[in-house]
Structure formats: C-alpha cells, structure tokens
Amino acid sequence: MRKLLGLLVFLLPLSATAQDYSWETVSMDGSRTAAVQSGKTKVKKSSSAAKVMKIVADAQPAMAKVKEVIGYSAEALSKDYPESGLSNWTVDTIMEKVAQLSGKKVDVGFANFGGIRVDMPKGDILLDDILSMFPFRNNLVYLEHKGSTVRHIIEEMAATRFQVLGGVRVVVKDGKVESIEIGGEPLDDDKIYGVVTVSFLLNGGDGLFMAKVAVSMTEYHDVNVIDAVLEHVAVETAAGRSLEYKRDGRVTIIK
C-alpha cells in the first residue's frame, strides 16, 4: 500500500495570545487522512502556522463521516498486474451493477488500473479507504460490441499493456493472443456481446476507444464507479461477509 511522508499536526483550543500545538514527521497511509489531536508547543496566534492549523481544525467535524467503518477485509487486497484480487473485484462489481441497471446480459468488462488509486487494507475498512481508492467521477457505461471488436481491443492490450478485464479468460504469449474465452466459450467474432466499461475509457483514456464502432451505447451519467462499489460494500457488510477476492487466472501471460 502506498505510503506518504507528511506532517501529523496536533492542536489545542485557541487562547488569547497563543495557539498550542505540536507536530512530528510520520509515515502516513496514502488512503487515510490524519486526524487532529492535542499537543503542547506554543506558537503565536498571529503566525502563519497557527492560521493554517485553525483551518485544519475547523474542517475536522466535516471529516468525521469518512472515518466511519463500513466494512471488513480479512486480507489486504493490492492492485497487481496483469490481474489481482482488487482489480478483479472492481471490474466484477461494476459489471454486476450495470447488469442491474440495464436489465441486459453483461459478458465482458473493461476498467483501468489507473482508476484504482490505493490498495485495500486488512481489517476494518473506512469510508475514507474506499473514497481514496476510487476518487474519479467516472460514469458506468453499457455497450454492445461485435466479438471481432472485443478481440481487437484485447489483442491491442496483449501487444502493449493489459487493463482490468472481467468475464474473460485470456492467454497471451510473446505479445500475441493465444486464446480468448467469454463465458467459458471461445470468443465468437460475429456475436454481439454486452460490454461494461467506464466513461474515461470511451474516447482515448489510457489509449482505449471503447465507444468506437459500438453497436449501441448507454452511459449512466448519474452512476459512478464509487456508487457501485459503496453499494456492493454495504450489501456485503449487511450480510456479514468479508470483502475478499482472489486472482482467478483470467489473464495469463506466458513469457
């Protein structure tokens, strides 16, 4: 999980002549925002540091909600290439949500590794963790594509770099696709497949043009990735289930 080196600042109430606080350099988890605590060092109320600290202190009540525990993970989930528990969980979750929204069969999912900003920690999961994981407001999209188009997209990834895939099993050797299965069957170039992606990948994001030559497209402008993920977390937590996910061999690269 990404670590940041930062200043953890401690604050006491304002006095008439001085602001009491102290600070120290700490290793800070990139997915969580440090809270303000009490300290001892006196600094003049008129100083720039004291003014900044007042701004930080005033923001604390508004930040209380993001510190709520919303789930639990028995294992840490990291974002590893070419597939990982975290990336698989992400794309499978948005595929499930778009299937609900569209009422149509969803066969394939495409997301991007860059849209997942931090890993999932082991133990209690805060709202802060999920918001930090998916900070971008990318809408969910349902498309219909011919199998030949899906094949072309995957072949381009095989030759360059894979993004996050769902609903498929791909085997690649020396930058060339050896096999593609969708729903347990070999990809059919003439079949129309239901495809899920995010708005960032429609017109050039990370080199993908998912909207190009689509048979049809429906973009859910009021449903973002974070909406689908938080809904999924709430369901799993209510059912008493841990937020666990595994690699399943959906992308195999033979060197």
Side-chain angles (χ1 to χ4, degrees):
M1 182 172 291
R2 184 177 61 182
K3 299 290 182 181
L4 301 177
L5 191 64
L7 295 179
L8 180 59
V9 187
F10 300 90
L11 182 67
L12 283 175
L14 290 168
S15 66
T17 59
Q19 175 65 53
D20 289 346
Y21 66 89
S22 65
W23 64 89
E24 61 181 297
T25 302
V26 297
S27 179
M28 200 163 82
D29 189 324
S31 69
R32 295 188 177 180
T33 310
V36 173
Q37 306 288 342
S38 62
K40 297 180 179 180
T41 304
K42 290 186 176 182
V43 176
K44 290 182 179 180
K45 182 179 178 181
S46 60
S47 70
S48 297
K51 293 175 182 177
V52 170
M53 280 311 306
K54 185 177 187 308
I55 294 171
V56 173
D58 289 346
Q60 294 306 299
M63 292 179 61
K65 183 172 178 57
V66 303
K67 301 305 176 184
E68 293 180 3
V69 175
I70 62 171
Y72 179 84
S73 181
E75 299 179 1
L77 296 180
S78 61
K79 180 183 68 174
D80 299 318
Y81 183 85
E83 66 156 310
S84 63
L86 182 58
S87 57
N88 290 351
W89 176 73
T90 300
V91 70
D92 289 356
T93 295
I94 65 172
M95 288 173 67
E96 179 182 359
K97 181 59 179 177
V98 173
Q100 295 172 359
L101 291 169
S102 67
K104 298 179 180 179
K105 189 174 186 296
V106 168
D107 300 296
V108 185
F110 292 95
N112 60 315
F113 280 102
I116 308 170
R117 303 309 291 182
V118 298
D119 296 338
M120 183 181 293
K122 178 180 179 179
D124 287 342
I125 304 301
L126 308 182
L127 177 58
D128 202 357
D129 296 317
I130 304 299
L131 293 176
S132 298
M133 205 176 297
F134 304 103
F136 304 117
R137 293 299 183 185
N138 290 315
N139 303 323
L140 302 187
V141 185
Y142 176 84
L143 308 99
E144 290 181 321
H145 271 305
K146 287 190 65 175
S148 56
T149 302
V150 175
R151 182 185 299 278
H152 175 72
I153 293 169
I154 294 176
E155 286 177 341
E156 286 289 312
M157 288 186 184
T160 54
R161 179 177 175 81
F162 274 97
Q163 294 296 339
V164 181
L165 300 182
V168 303
R169 293 185 73 86
V170 180
V171 178
V172 174
K173 184 176 181 179
D174 297 327
K176 296 185 181 298
V177 172
E178 291 209 331
S179 66
I180 303 174
E181 292 184 357
I182 297 177
E185 299 290 335
L187 183 151
D188 183 343
D189 285 345
D190 295 320
K191 182 177 178 178
I192 301 298
Y193 290 98
V195 177
V196 170
T197 191
V198 298
S199 54
F200 177 69
L201 303 182
L202 290 179
N203 296 294
D206 277 336
L208 295 179
F209 294 84
M210 298 298 301
K212 191 175 181 180
V213 302
V215 175
S216 70
M217 183 175 75
T218 302
E219 183 173 352
Y220 297 94
H221 294 280
D222 57 345
V223 184
N224 299 315
V225 172
I226 188 66
D227 300 321
V229 170
L230 287 175
E231 180 180 299
H232 176 83
V233 170
V235 169
E236 294 300 291
T237 301
R241 291 190 289 264
S242 170
L243 302 176
E244 298 178 46
Y245 228 70
K246 303 290 185 183
R247 296 178 58 166
D248 56 19
R250 63 184 66 183
V251 179
T252 300
I253 299 177
I254 302 172
K255 297 181 180 180

